[in-house]
Amino acid sequence: MSLHDVAARAGVSPSTVSNVLNGRLGRMRPSTRDRVRQAVRDLGYVPNQLARQFRTGQVRTIGLIVPSVANPFWGLVARRVEQAASERGYQVLLCNSERDPGREARYAETLLDSGVRGLIFGSSPLSFDHLATFRTRGLQIVAFDRSLAGAGAPVVGSVEIDNVLAARLAISHLTGLGHRRIGFLSGPIRTVSRRARLAGYQEALAAAGIEHDPALVWEGASVATFGDADGAELGRAGAHHLLSMPDRPSALFTINDMYALGAYAGAGDLGLRVPDDVSVLGFDDLPVLAEVAMPPLTTVRQPVPSMMRFATSQLIGRLEGEVTGEPRHLTATPQLVVRQSTAPPSLAGRTGAVRPDPEPT
């Protein structure tokens, strides 16, 4: 079975079949595209990817480096990248890096040696210096959860949520409910996205006339890693610390939903109820988990499907020569999803709480 057999079955030229298989649809009529795909299915044709690799030196595969799929958020990212890549005839190799620069560089080296020429990179590092040489060696990188600012030569595109705005939405929601002491619960704040969320937290407090208390920011002083694989456990530990303070916070804003679910457990360990005694607000809006949590979690939603479609299309567009010129960036808009884990603070024992203004009648 050959490409010529598919072309004869579909009534098109072999080059048209090649264009469909390689995702180069351009101005091709949908009817032509569909006829070719039907011919491929009817004949059970499987392209010889190995032969293509020998001819071009690259494979129809892209890499995806994420911190850890132990956090279901990164599993969702991987699923959306795979879906978008599959539509262009590409496969995805998934790598878990734990945000370790050395490990990330080794993965990039392995991908490059395997013929992979495109990589979506999701660790939001402060610097891309450890990947600087790979661009000159032919590896194209699109960064997720990172702006282009300061990324340097390795990055040909990027996509991120507006993390400052996202944190401001979250904190404004809590201050609007009457909370004055709000904890910021995170792992080590050594990524671009985490620093931006902390900045948004501080800005929203200032806008509400609340003085920032550094003691309310927990980043796991004894945590060596970034906590991506242990978010729930760290959320529990952070909640223990913050909620054991003499003047404990009445609300917790967590760096992601896994930390938030851990904070639920930490509050329960101390005999506190969510949201009666402490409000908890997450980040990511994990499908299913955020909704079935008890109580359902108030959180900030990232539009992962559209973000990963942009990242994947930019990367494959570069590989196929469809996207050229300066690196392109997308800043997505966050959405606050209010559920039942946030409520006005209880005044019992709350020196820093104020009653929210009554709703107008």
Side-chain angles (χ1 to χ4, degrees):
M1 185 65 59
S2 71
L3 182 144
H4 291 271
D5 295 318
V6 175
R9 178 66 172 254
V12 298
S13 67
S15 63
T16 298
V17 176
S18 178
N19 286 335
V20 172
L21 293 176
N22 289 297
R24 296 189 296 267
L25 302 178
R27 298 181 180 178
M28 186 182 299
R29 294 177 180 176
S31 59
T32 302
R33 176 203 62 201
D34 294 343
R35 197 162 65 249
V36 171
R37 288 176 175 172
Q38 187 61 51
V40 169
R41 288 192 292 268
D42 291 344
L43 296 175
Y45 176 68
V46 178
N48 190 333
Q49 297 288 359
L50 184 59
R52 183 182 186 278
Q53 181 179 354
F54 284 141
R55 291 196 308 271
T56 65
Q58 64 184 48
V59 294
R60 292 188 67 77
T61 301
I62 60 173
L64 172 62
I65 294 180
V66 301
S68 174
V69 291
N71 179 348
F73 174 78
W74 294 110
L76 175 61
V77 166
R79 176 181 171 226
R80 293 300 183 177
V81 170
E82 186 175 41
Q83 183 180 54
S86 178
E87 292 173 2
R88 295 293 303 269
Y90 278 74
Q91 297 178 317
V92 179
L93 287 178
L94 176 63
C95 310
N96 291 269
S97 72
E98 307 294 341
R99 301 186 199 263
D100 177 352
R103 190 169 177 178
E104 290 166 351
R106 289 192 294 273
Y107 273 134
E109 187 77 45
T110 299
L111 291 168
L112 196 59
D113 289 345
S114 301
V116 175
R117 295 295 180 266
L119 170 63
I120 294 176
F121 189 84
S123 292
S124 188
L126 300 178
S127 169
F128 280 89
D129 289 348
H130 60 302
L131 302 175
T133 64
F134 288 98
R135 176 73 184 277
T136 59
R137 297 170 58 193
L139 185 65
Q140 312 247 31
I141 298 175
V142 170
F144 170 71
D145 208 17
R146 181 68 157 81
S147 70
L148 288 171
V155 177
V156 298
S158 64
V159 59
E160 64 176 344
I161 198 171
D162 188 333
N163 283 291
V164 173
L165 174 60
R168 290 178 62 179
L169 288 173
I171 302 307
S172 295
H173 169 69
L174 293 171
T175 59
L177 290 171
H179 295 278
R180 305 289 293 177
R181 287 185 62 76
I182 302 170
F184 184 90
L185 203 163
S186 169
I189 305 174
R190 299 196 304 269
T191 70
V192 170
S193 59
R194 291 184 181 186
R195 289 188 176 185
R197 292 174 198 178
L198 177 60
Y201 161 82
Q202 294 169 333
E203 288 181 13
L205 290 178
I210 301 172
E211 184 177 354
H212 170 54
D213 182 354
L216 292 178
V217 176
W218 187 87
E219 53 179 309
S222 62
V223 178
T225 66
F226 287 84
D228 294 285
D230 308 306
E233 295 176 21
L234 291 174
R236 188 174 200 158
H240 279 176
H241 175 84
L242 293 174
L243 297 177
S244 296
M245 298 172 66
D247 187 12
R248 62 178 172 82
S250 62
L252 300 175
F253 172 50
T254 66
I255 203 68
N256 62 43
D257 287 351
M258 295 306 294
Y259 275 76
L261 297 178
Y264 277 26
D269 293 341
L270 299 175
L272 302 175
R273 296 169 298 171
V274 177
D276 301 54
D277 302 304
V278 59
S279 287
V280 176
L281 200 156
F283 202 110
D284 289 337
D285 193 28
L286 292 176
V288 182
L289 283 179
E291 294 182 273
V292 303
M294 292 301 291
L297 179 66
T298 297
T299 185
V300 177
R301 176 179 294 162
Q302 297 204 57
V304 173
S306 60
M307 295 170 75
M308 301 325 301
R309 182 168 292 278
F310 175 85
T312 307
S313 66
Q314 286 297 302
L315 181 60
I316 294 178
R318 292 277 176 180
L319 297 176
E320 299 287 346
E322 300 165 356
V323 178
T324 58
E326 293 298 314
R328 301 181 187 179
H329 175 73
L330 172 68
T331 300
T333 302
Q335 178 186 357
L336 180 67
V337 181
V338 179
R339 298 193 179 98
Q340 285 80 56
S341 66
T342 52
S346 165
L347 292 186
R350 287 272 187 272
T351 59
V354 296
R355 291 189 184 277
D357 293 333
E359 293 291 335
T361 58

